[in-house]
Amino acid sequence: QVQLRESGGGSVQAGGSLRLTCVASELTFAMGWFRQLPGKEREALAAIQIGGHPMYADVVKDRAFLSTDTSGNILNLQLNHLEAADTAMYYCAARSAPINWQELLRGDVYTSWGQGTQVTVSS
């Protein structure tokens, strides 16, 4: 199973930005970022097939940007224009087998998850 390590979370003021980083212990076919708000279900933010094009959930479209080393072991998420509603635990996910691009934002297709990094946005 792939081991994932997230970093980059912290406390920021509304309107600010954060850059989250996920490092995988081995090559993957797909990686993504998800988050879980207090008392809510985990939701997708952005994901990518390694070597492919990123996909973004509507909730962060136009203010989230993925970058990767193309080798399948590092994925960064730049999230801009943060709001108080973005306060959540942010998780990295990975899959070690081929996947259809249409399923990239489905949490149930991922087989490995990081421990999460907390993002707190003050108003």
Side-chain angles (χ1 to χ4, degrees):
Q1 185 174 356
V2 178
Q3 291 184 305
L4 303 171
R5 175 169 53 86
E6 304 110 325
S7 62
S11 298
V12 299
Q13 286 189 279
S17 301
L18 282 176
R19 176 178 149 105
L20 307 180
T21 298
C22 177
V23 179
S25 62
E26 58 190 74
L27 298 179
T28 66
F29 281 84
M31 296 178 67
W33 279 98
F34 296 73
R35 72 183 181 188
Q36 188 167 17
L37 279 66
K40 304 296 184 181
E41 297 293 320
R42 188 173 297 177
E43 65 178 350
L45 301 176
I48 187 171
Q49 286 182 308
I50 304 306
H53 301 289
M55 293 186 63
Y56 300 98
D58 289 342
V59 69
V60 295
K61 194 167 295 182
D62 298 324
R63 65 188 184 104
F65 303 92
L66 289 177
S67 61
T68 178
D69 67 348
T70 314
S71 298
N73 66 332
I74 299 177
L75 183 68
N76 300 309
L77 176 66
Q78 176 77 30
L79 188 57
N80 302 317
H81 307 293
L82 289 164
E83 305 171 350
D86 293 316
T87 295
M89 283 290 294
Y90 285 69
Y91 298 91
C92 179
R95 179 178 170 90
S96 300
I99 185 175
N100 294 326
W101 67 267
Q102 296 93 332
E103 298 177 324
L104 281 172
L105 296 178
R106 285 178 50 184
D108 60 355
V109 308
Y110 292 91
T111 54
S112 299
W113 294 86
Q115 293 298 112
T117 184
Q118 177 69 39
V119 172
T120 302
V121 184
S122 60
S123 58

PDB file of all heavy atoms in Angstrom, residues 2-38:
ATOM      1  N   VAL A   2       0.481   2.236  -0.783  1.00  0.00           N
ATOM      2  CA  VAL A   2       1.221   3.483  -0.869  1.00  0.00           C
ATOM      3  C   VAL A   2       1.065   4.254   0.433  1.00  0.00           C
ATOM      4  O   VAL A   2      -0.036   4.375   0.968  1.00  0.00           O
ATOM      5  CB  VAL A   2       0.725   4.331  -2.050  1.00  0.00           C
ATOM      6  CG1 VAL A   2       1.473   5.657  -2.106  1.00  0.00           C
ATOM      7  CG2 VAL A   2       0.891   3.566  -3.350  1.00  0.00           C
ATOM      8  N   GLN A   3       2.170   4.785   0.933  1.00  0.00           N
ATOM      9  CA  GLN A   3       2.132   5.674   2.079  1.00  0.00           C
ATOM     10  C   GLN A   3       2.220   7.117   1.605  1.00  0.00           C
ATOM     11  O   GLN A   3       3.029   7.443   0.734  1.00  0.00           O
ATOM     12  CB  GLN A   3       3.269   5.360   3.048  1.00  0.00           C
ATOM     13  CG  GLN A   3       3.113   4.022   3.749  1.00  0.00           C
ATOM     14  CD  GLN A   3       4.192   3.767   4.759  1.00  0.00           C
ATOM     15  OE1 GLN A   3       5.380   3.820   4.437  1.00  0.00           O
ATOM     16  NE2 GLN A   3       3.794   3.502   5.989  1.00  0.00           N
ATOM     17  N   LEU A   4       1.380   7.974   2.182  1.00  0.00           N
ATOM     18  CA  LEU A   4       1.282   9.363   1.765  1.00  0.00           C
ATOM     19  C   LEU A   4       1.558  10.292   2.937  1.00  0.00           C
ATOM     20  O   LEU A   4       1.125  10.030   4.059  1.00  0.00           O
ATOM     21  CB  LEU A   4      -0.112   9.658   1.205  1.00  0.00           C
ATOM     22  CG  LEU A   4      -0.566   8.783   0.036  1.00  0.00           C
ATOM     23  CD1 LEU A   4      -2.033   9.041  -0.275  1.00  0.00           C
ATOM     24  CD2 LEU A   4       0.294   9.048  -1.189  1.00  0.00           C
ATOM     25  N   ARG A   5       2.254  11.371   2.666  1.00  0.00           N
ATOM     26  CA  ARG A   5       2.576  12.357   3.682  1.00  0.00           C
ATOM     27  C   ARG A   5       2.185  13.738   3.177  1.00  0.00           C
ATOM     28  O   ARG A   5       2.699  14.198   2.154  1.00  0.00           O
ATOM     29  CB  ARG A   5       4.069  12.302   4.028  1.00  0.00           C
ATOM     30  CG  ARG A   5       4.540  13.366   4.984  1.00  0.00           C
ATOM     31  CD  ARG A   5       5.942  13.054   5.472  1.00  0.00           C
ATOM     32  NE  ARG A   5       6.865  12.837   4.378  1.00  0.00           N
ATOM     33  CZ  ARG A   5       7.536  13.799   3.742  1.00  0.00           C
ATOM     34  NH1 ARG A   5       7.361  15.073   4.096  1.00  0.00           N
ATOM     35  NH2 ARG A   5       8.368  13.504   2.766  1.00  0.00           N
ATOM     36  N   GLU A   6       1.283  14.397   3.893  1.00  0.00           N
ATOM     37  CA  GLU A   6       0.820  15.732   3.534  1.00  0.00           C
ATOM     38  C   GLU A   6       1.518  16.782   4.384  1.00  0.00           C
ATOM     39  O   GLU A   6       1.877  16.531   5.531  1.00  0.00           O
ATOM     40  CB  GLU A   6      -0.696  15.874   3.730  1.00  0.00           C
ATOM     41  CG  GLU A   6      -1.529  14.851   2.983  1.00  0.00           C
ATOM     42  CD  GLU A   6      -2.183  13.869   3.921  1.00  0.00           C
ATOM     43  OE1 GLU A   6      -1.559  13.521   4.959  1.00  0.00           O
ATOM     44  OE2 GLU A   6      -3.314  13.448   3.638  1.00  0.00           O
ATOM     45  N   SER A   7       1.660  17.971   3.818  1.00  0.00           N
ATOM     46  CA  SER A   7       2.212  19.098   4.542  1.00  0.00           C
ATOM     47  C   SER A   7       1.692  20.386   3.910  1.00  0.00           C
ATOM     48  O   SER A   7       1.143  20.370   2.815  1.00  0.00           O
ATOM     49  CB  SER A   7       3.741  19.071   4.534  1.00  0.00           C
ATOM     50  OG  SER A   7       4.245  19.171   3.212  1.00  0.00           O
ATOM     51  N   GLY A   8       1.876  21.492   4.606  1.00  0.00           N
ATOM     52  CA  GLY A   8       1.518  22.790   4.069  1.00  0.00           C
ATOM     53  C   GLY A   8       0.299  23.435   4.685  1.00  0.00           C
ATOM     54  O   GLY A   8      -0.001  24.595   4.380  1.00  0.00           O
ATOM     55  N   GLY A   9      -0.420  22.715   5.536  1.00  0.00           N
ATOM     56  CA  GLY A   9      -1.583  23.293   6.178  1.00  0.00           C
ATOM     57  C   GLY A   9      -1.188  24.309   7.227  1.00  0.00           C
ATOM     58  O   GLY A   9      -0.017  24.459   7.578  1.00  0.00           O
ATOM     59  N   GLY A  10      -2.179  25.023   7.736  1.00  0.00           N
ATOM     60  CA  GLY A  10      -1.939  26.025   8.749  1.00  0.00           C
ATOM     61  C   GLY A  10      -3.104  26.971   8.870  1.00  0.00           C
ATOM     62  O   GLY A  10      -4.195  26.714   8.354  1.00  0.00           O
ATOM     63  N   SER A  11      -2.876  28.076   9.559  1.00  0.00           N
ATOM     64  CA  SER A  11      -3.895  29.101   9.774  1.00  0.00           C
ATOM     65  C   SER A  11      -3.622  30.296   8.876  1.00  0.00           C
ATOM     66  O   SER A  11      -2.493  30.798   8.824  1.00  0.00           O
ATOM     67  CB  SER A  11      -3.912  29.542  11.234  1.00  0.00           C
ATOM     68  OG  SER A  11      -4.236  28.467  12.097  1.00  0.00           O
ATOM     69  N   VAL A  12      -4.648  30.746   8.169  1.00  0.00           N
ATOM     70  CA  VAL A  12      -4.530  31.887   7.271  1.00  0.00           C
ATOM     71  C   VAL A  12      -5.768  32.760   7.399  1.00  0.00           C
ATOM     72  O   VAL A  12      -6.817  32.308   7.860  1.00  0.00           O
ATOM     73  CB  VAL A  12      -4.353  31.461   5.799  1.00  0.00           C
ATOM     74  CG1 VAL A  12      -3.079  30.650   5.619  1.00  0.00           C
ATOM     75  CG2 VAL A  12      -5.565  30.662   5.340  1.00  0.00           C
ATOM     76  N   GLN A  13      -5.628  34.005   6.974  1.00  0.00           N
ATOM     77  CA  GLN A  13      -6.765  34.907   6.944  1.00  0.00           C
ATOM     78  C   GLN A  13      -7.558  34.732   5.654  1.00  0.00           C
ATOM     79  O   GLN A  13      -7.014  34.312   4.622  1.00  0.00           O
ATOM     80  CB  GLN A  13      -6.306  36.356   7.061  1.00  0.00           C
ATOM     81  CG  GLN A  13      -5.855  36.764   8.445  1.00  0.00           C
ATOM     82  CD  GLN A  13      -5.613  38.245   8.556  1.00  0.00           C
ATOM     83  OE1 GLN A  13      -4.557  38.735   8.167  1.00  0.00           O
ATOM     84  NE2 GLN A  13      -6.600  38.957   9.076  1.00  0.00           N
ATOM     85  N   ALA A  14      -8.831  35.037   5.714  1.00  0.00           N
ATOM     86  CA  ALA A  14      -9.667  34.980   4.525  1.00  0.00           C
ATOM     87  C   ALA A  14      -9.061  35.823   3.416  1.00  0.00           C
ATOM     88  O   ALA A  14      -8.574  36.932   3.647  1.00  0.00           O
ATOM     89  CB  ALA A  14     -11.078  35.447   4.845  1.00  0.00           C
ATOM     90  N   GLY A  15      -9.086  35.285   2.211  1.00  0.00           N
ATOM     91  CA  GLY A  15      -8.488  35.945   1.068  1.00  0.00           C
ATOM     92  C   GLY A  15      -7.072  35.495   0.776  1.00  0.00           C
ATOM     93  O   GLY A  15      -6.543  35.786  -0.303  1.00  0.00           O
ATOM     94  N   GLY A  16      -6.462  34.787   1.707  1.00  0.00           N
ATOM     95  CA  GLY A  16      -5.108  34.314   1.540  1.00  0.00           C
ATOM     96  C   GLY A  16      -5.030  33.020   0.752  1.00  0.00           C
ATOM     97  O   GLY A  16      -6.027  32.520   0.228  1.00  0.00           O
ATOM     98  N   SER A  17      -3.822  32.458   0.686  1.00  0.00           N
ATOM     99  CA  SER A  17      -3.566  31.255  -0.099  1.00  0.00           C
ATOM    100  C   SER A  17      -2.713  30.276   0.685  1.00  0.00           C
ATOM    101  O   SER A  17      -1.973  30.658   1.590  1.00  0.00           O
ATOM    102  CB  SER A  17      -2.846  31.606  -1.401  1.00  0.00           C
ATOM    103  OG  SER A  17      -3.605  32.498  -2.195  1.00  0.00           O
ATOM    104  N   LEU A  18      -2.813  29.017   0.304  1.00  0.00           N
ATOM    105  CA  LEU A  18      -1.975  27.959   0.848  1.00  0.00           C
ATOM    106  C   LEU A  18      -1.533  27.038  -0.277  1.00  0.00           C
ATOM    107  O   LEU A  18      -2.228  26.895  -1.284  1.00  0.00           O
ATOM    108  CB  LEU A  18      -2.718  27.138   1.902  1.00  0.00           C
ATOM    109  CG  LEU A  18      -2.875  27.735   3.293  1.00  0.00           C
ATOM    110  CD1 LEU A  18      -3.723  26.806   4.157  1.00  0.00           C
ATOM    111  CD2 LEU A  18      -1.516  27.961   3.939  1.00  0.00           C
ATOM    112  N   ARG A  19      -0.383  26.428  -0.083  1.00  0.00           N
ATOM    113  CA  ARG A  19       0.117  25.422  -0.999  1.00  0.00           C
ATOM    114  C   ARG A  19       0.338  24.137  -0.214  1.00  0.00           C
ATOM    115  O   ARG A  19       1.187  24.079   0.677  1.00  0.00           O
ATOM    116  CB  ARG A  19       1.413  25.884  -1.656  1.00  0.00           C
ATOM    117  CG  ARG A  19       2.080  24.847  -2.562  1.00  0.00           C
ATOM    118  CD  ARG A  19       3.319  25.470  -3.179  1.00  0.00           C
ATOM    119  NE  ARG A  19       4.369  24.516  -3.429  1.00  0.00           N
ATOM    120  CZ  ARG A  19       4.684  24.041  -4.631  1.00  0.00           C
ATOM    121  NH1 ARG A  19       3.994  24.438  -5.696  1.00  0.00           N
ATOM    122  NH2 ARG A  19       5.680  23.182  -4.764  1.00  0.00           N
ATOM    123  N   LEU A  20      -0.444  23.121  -0.529  1.00  0.00           N
ATOM    124  CA  LEU A  20      -0.351  21.827   0.122  1.00  0.00           C
ATOM    125  C   LEU A  20       0.486  20.881  -0.725  1.00  0.00           C
ATOM    126  O   LEU A  20       0.410  20.901  -1.953  1.00  0.00           O
ATOM    127  CB  LEU A  20      -1.741  21.231   0.342  1.00  0.00           C
ATOM    128  CG  LEU A  20      -2.754  22.124   1.064  1.00  0.00           C
ATOM    129  CD1 LEU A  20      -4.084  21.394   1.210  1.00  0.00           C
ATOM    130  CD2 LEU A  20      -2.227  22.556   2.421  1.00  0.00           C
ATOM    131  N   THR A  21       1.259  20.033  -0.061  1.00  0.00           N
ATOM    132  CA  THR A  21       2.125  19.089  -0.745  1.00  0.00           C
ATOM    133  C   THR A  21       1.857  17.676  -0.251  1.00  0.00           C
ATOM    134  O   THR A  21       1.699  17.454   0.944  1.00  0.00           O
ATOM    135  CB  THR A  21       3.605  19.440  -0.518  1.00  0.00           C
ATOM    136  OG1 THR A  21       3.881  20.728  -1.072  1.00  0.00           O
ATOM    137  CG2 THR A  21       4.512  18.415  -1.185  1.00  0.00           C
ATOM    138  N   CYS A  22       1.807  16.741  -1.181  1.00  0.00           N
ATOM    139  CA  CYS A  22       1.660  15.327  -0.864  1.00  0.00           C
ATOM    140  C   CYS A  22       2.816  14.565  -1.492  1.00  0.00           C
ATOM    141  O   CYS A  22       3.085  14.721  -2.691  1.00  0.00           O
ATOM    142  CB  CYS A  22       0.329  14.790  -1.387  1.00  0.00           C
ATOM    143  SG  CYS A  22       0.091  13.017  -1.116  1.00  0.00           S
ATOM    144  N   VAL A  23       3.480  13.750  -0.693  1.00  0.00           N
ATOM    145  CA  VAL A  23       4.581  12.923  -1.168  1.00  0.00           C
ATOM    146  C   VAL A  23       4.215  11.456  -0.968  1.00  0.00           C
ATOM    147  O   VAL A  23       3.872  11.043   0.140  1.00  0.00           O
ATOM    148  CB  VAL A  23       5.888  13.243  -0.433  1.00  0.00           C
ATOM    149  CG1 VAL A  23       7.009  12.345  -0.945  1.00  0.00           C
ATOM    150  CG2 VAL A  23       6.260  14.704  -0.616  1.00  0.00           C
ATOM    151  N   ALA A  24       4.279  10.683  -2.037  1.00  0.00           N
ATOM    152  CA  ALA A  24       3.955   9.261  -2.001  1.00  0.00           C
ATOM    153  C   ALA A  24       5.219   8.423  -1.899  1.00  0.00           C
ATOM    154  O   ALA A  24       6.279   8.809  -2.399  1.00  0.00           O
ATOM    155  CB  ALA A  24       3.166   8.858  -3.246  1.00  0.00           C
ATOM    156  N   SER A  25       5.093   7.269  -1.259  1.00  0.00           N
ATOM    157  CA  SER A  25       6.240   6.400  -1.045  1.00  0.00           C
ATOM    158  C   SER A  25       6.636   5.613  -2.286  1.00  0.00           C
ATOM    159  O   SER A  25       7.727   5.038  -2.322  1.00  0.00           O
ATOM    160  CB  SER A  25       5.952   5.427   0.104  1.00  0.00           C
ATOM    161  OG  SER A  25       4.846   4.599  -0.211  1.00  0.00           O
ATOM    162  N   GLU A  26       5.773   5.569  -3.284  1.00  0.00           N
ATOM    163  CA  GLU A  26       6.048   4.844  -4.509  1.00  0.00           C
ATOM    164  C   GLU A  26       5.223   5.425  -5.644  1.00  0.00           C
ATOM    165  O   GLU A  26       4.356   6.283  -5.425  1.00  0.00           O
ATOM    166  CB  GLU A  26       5.755   3.348  -4.343  1.00  0.00           C
ATOM    167  CG  GLU A  26       4.332   3.048  -3.928  1.00  0.00           C
ATOM    168  CD  GLU A  26       4.145   1.603  -3.537  1.00  0.00           C
ATOM    169  OE1 GLU A  26       4.609   1.220  -2.444  1.00  0.00           O
ATOM    170  OE2 GLU A  26       3.533   0.855  -4.330  1.00  0.00           O
ATOM    171  N   LEU A  27       5.483   4.968  -6.847  1.00  0.00           N
ATOM    172  CA  LEU A  27       4.765   5.477  -8.007  1.00  0.00           C
ATOM    173  C   LEU A  27       3.283   5.136  -7.930  1.00  0.00           C
ATOM    174  O   LEU A  27       2.893   4.090  -7.415  1.00  0.00           O
ATOM    175  CB  LEU A  27       5.367   4.912  -9.288  1.00  0.00           C
ATOM    176  CG  LEU A  27       6.824   5.269  -9.573  1.00  0.00           C
ATOM    177  CD1 LEU A  27       7.269   4.611 -10.878  1.00  0.00           C
ATOM    178  CD2 LEU A  27       7.011   6.770  -9.645  1.00  0.00           C
ATOM    179  N   THR A  28       2.457   6.038  -8.455  1.00  0.00           N
ATOM    180  CA  THR A  28       1.018   5.850  -8.468  1.00  0.00           C
ATOM    181  C   THR A  28       0.472   6.109  -9.870  1.00  0.00           C
ATOM    182  O   THR A  28       1.144   6.699 -10.714  1.00  0.00           O
ATOM    183  CB  THR A  28       0.320   6.794  -7.477  1.00  0.00           C
ATOM    184  OG1 THR A  28       0.497   8.144  -7.914  1.00  0.00           O
ATOM    185  CG2 THR A  28       0.911   6.640  -6.078  1.00  0.00           C
ATOM    186  N   PHE A  29      -0.759   5.657 -10.111  1.00  0.00           N
ATOM    187  CA  PHE A  29      -1.451   5.953 -11.359  1.00  0.00           C
ATOM    188  C   PHE A  29      -2.282   7.222 -11.255  1.00  0.00           C
ATOM    189  O   PHE A  29      -2.490   7.895 -12.264  1.00  0.00           O
ATOM    190  CB  PHE A  29      -2.347   4.786 -11.770  1.00  0.00           C
ATOM    191  CG  PHE A  29      -1.612   3.655 -12.411  1.00  0.00           C
ATOM    192  CD1 PHE A  29      -1.001   2.679 -11.652  1.00  0.00           C
ATOM    193  CD2 PHE A  29      -1.532   3.563 -13.790  1.00  0.00           C
ATOM    194  CE1 PHE A  29      -0.317   1.628 -12.239  1.00  0.00           C
ATOM    195  CE2 PHE A  29      -0.851   2.517 -14.398  1.00  0.00           C
ATOM    196  CZ  PHE A  29      -0.244   1.551 -13.622  1.00  0.00           C
ATOM    197  N   ALA A  30      -2.775   7.525 -10.063  1.00  0.00           N
ATOM    198  CA  ALA A  30      -3.593   8.710  -9.867  1.00  0.00           C
ATOM    199  C   ALA A  30      -3.443   9.208  -8.439  1.00  0.00           C
ATOM    200  O   ALA A  30      -3.252   8.413  -7.515  1.00  0.00           O
ATOM    201  CB  ALA A  30      -5.061   8.417 -10.167  1.00  0.00           C
ATOM    202  N   MET A  31      -3.543  10.514  -8.270  1.00  0.00           N
ATOM    203  CA  MET A  31      -3.499  11.125  -6.948  1.00  0.00           C
ATOM    204  C   MET A  31      -4.511  12.257  -6.906  1.00  0.00           C
ATOM    205  O   MET A  31      -4.831  12.853  -7.937  1.00  0.00           O
ATOM    206  CB  MET A  31      -2.105  11.661  -6.618  1.00  0.00           C
ATOM    207  CG  MET A  31      -1.035  10.593  -6.529  1.00  0.00           C
ATOM    208  SD  MET A  31       0.615  11.265  -6.198  1.00  0.00           S
ATOM    209  CE  MET A  31       0.400  11.897  -4.520  1.00  0.00           C
ATOM    210  N   GLY A  32      -4.998  12.545  -5.704  1.00  0.00           N
ATOM    211  CA  GLY A  32      -5.972  13.603  -5.563  1.00  0.00           C
ATOM    212  C   GLY A  32      -5.957  14.222  -4.183  1.00  0.00           C
ATOM    213  O   GLY A  32      -5.344  13.699  -3.247  1.00  0.00           O
ATOM    214  N   TRP A  33      -6.623  15.361  -4.091  1.00  0.00           N
ATOM    215  CA  TRP A  33      -6.816  16.059  -2.821  1.00  0.00           C
ATOM    216  C   TRP A  33      -8.293  16.094  -2.467  1.00  0.00           C
ATOM    217  O   TRP A  33      -9.145  16.406  -3.315  1.00  0.00           O
ATOM    218  CB  TRP A  33      -6.276  17.491  -2.886  1.00  0.00           C
ATOM    219  CG  TRP A  33      -4.790  17.574  -2.701  1.00  0.00           C
ATOM    220  CD1 TRP A  33      -3.846  17.677  -3.668  1.00  0.00           C
ATOM    221  CD2 TRP A  33      -4.100  17.569  -1.451  1.00  0.00           C
ATOM    222  NE1 TRP A  33      -2.596  17.736  -3.106  1.00  0.00           N
ATOM    223  CE2 TRP A  33      -2.716  17.670  -1.751  1.00  0.00           C
ATOM    224  CE3 TRP A  33      -4.491  17.490  -0.117  1.00  0.00           C
ATOM    225  CZ2 TRP A  33      -1.735  17.693  -0.756  1.00  0.00           C
ATOM    226  CZ3 TRP A  33      -3.520  17.510   0.869  1.00  0.00           C
ATOM    227  CH2 TRP A  33      -2.168  17.610   0.547  1.00  0.00           C
ATOM    228  N   PHE A  34      -8.591  15.785  -1.215  1.00  0.00           N
ATOM    229  CA  PHE A  34      -9.941  15.804  -0.677  1.00  0.00           C
ATOM    230  C   PHE A  34      -9.926  16.592   0.624  1.00  0.00           C
ATOM    231  O   PHE A  34      -8.872  16.881   1.172  1.00  0.00           O
ATOM    232  CB  PHE A  34     -10.454  14.379  -0.423  1.00  0.00           C
ATOM    233  CG  PHE A  34     -10.602  13.546  -1.662  1.00  0.00           C
ATOM    234  CD1 PHE A  34      -9.495  13.046  -2.320  1.00  0.00           C
ATOM    235  CD2 PHE A  34     -11.858  13.254  -2.175  1.00  0.00           C
ATOM    236  CE1 PHE A  34      -9.613  12.276  -3.462  1.00  0.00           C
ATOM    237  CE2 PHE A  34     -12.001  12.485  -3.317  1.00  0.00           C
ATOM    238  CZ  PHE A  34     -10.885  11.998  -3.958  1.00  0.00           C
ATOM    239  N   ARG A  35     -11.107  16.924   1.121  1.00  0.00           N
ATOM    240  CA  ARG A  35     -11.188  17.582   2.414  1.00  0.00           C
ATOM    241  C   ARG A  35     -12.448  17.139   3.142  1.00  0.00           C
ATOM    242  O   ARG A  35     -13.401  16.656   2.533  1.00  0.00           O
ATOM    243  CB  ARG A  35     -11.170  19.108   2.279  1.00  0.00           C
ATOM    244  CG  ARG A  35     -12.452  19.701   1.713  1.00  0.00           C
ATOM    245  CD  ARG A  35     -12.310  21.202   1.558  1.00  0.00           C
ATOM    246  NE  ARG A  35     -13.522  21.810   1.049  1.00  0.00           N
ATOM    247  CZ  ARG A  35     -13.623  23.080   0.680  1.00  0.00           C
ATOM    248  NH1 ARG A  35     -12.553  23.889   0.773  1.00  0.00           N
ATOM    249  NH2 ARG A  35     -14.777  23.562   0.227  1.00  0.00           N
ATOM    250  N   GLN A  36     -12.434  17.316   4.461  1.00  0.00           N
ATOM    251  CA  GLN A  36     -13.574  16.965   5.282  1.00  0.00           C
ATOM    252  C   GLN A  36     -13.840  18.103   6.253  1.00  0.00           C
ATOM    253  O   GLN A  36     -13.028  18.385   7.134  1.00  0.00           O
ATOM    254  CB  GLN A  36     -13.334  15.658   6.035  1.00  0.00           C
ATOM    255  CG  GLN A  36     -14.549  15.147   6.763  1.00  0.00           C
ATOM    256  CD  GLN A  36     -14.381  13.719   7.235  1.00  0.00           C
ATOM    257  OE1 GLN A  36     -13.265  13.204   7.296  1.00  0.00           O
ATOM    258  NE2 GLN A  36     -15.482  13.069   7.560  1.00  0.00           N
ATOM    259  N   LEU A  37     -14.976  18.760   6.074  1.00  0.00           N
ATOM    260  CA  LEU A  37     -15.382  19.824   6.971  1.00  0.00           C
ATOM    261  C   LEU A  37     -15.955  19.213   8.243  1.00  0.00           C
ATOM    262  O   LEU A  37     -16.458  18.083   8.232  1.00  0.00           O
ATOM    263  CB  LEU A  37     -16.422  20.719   6.305  1.00  0.00           C
ATOM    264  CG  LEU A  37     -15.913  21.788   5.329  1.00  0.00           C
ATOM    265  CD1 LEU A  37     -15.294  21.156   4.089  1.00  0.00           C
ATOM    266  CD2 LEU A  37     -17.044  22.728   4.932  1.00  0.00           C
ATOM    267  N   PRO A  38     -15.900  19.929   9.361  1.00  0.00           N
ATOM    268  CA  PRO A  38     -16.433  19.383  10.618  1.00  0.00           C
ATOM    269  C   PRO A  38     -17.879  18.941  10.470  1.00  0.00           C
ATOM    270  O   PRO A  38     -18.737  19.708  10.027  1.00  0.00           O
ATOM    271  CB  PRO A  38     -16.301  20.558  11.589  1.00  0.00           C
ATOM    272  CG  PRO A  38     -15.174  21.376  11.044  1.00  0.00           C
ATOM    273  CD  PRO A  38     -15.302  21.260   9.551  1.00  0.00           C
TER     274      PRO A  38
END
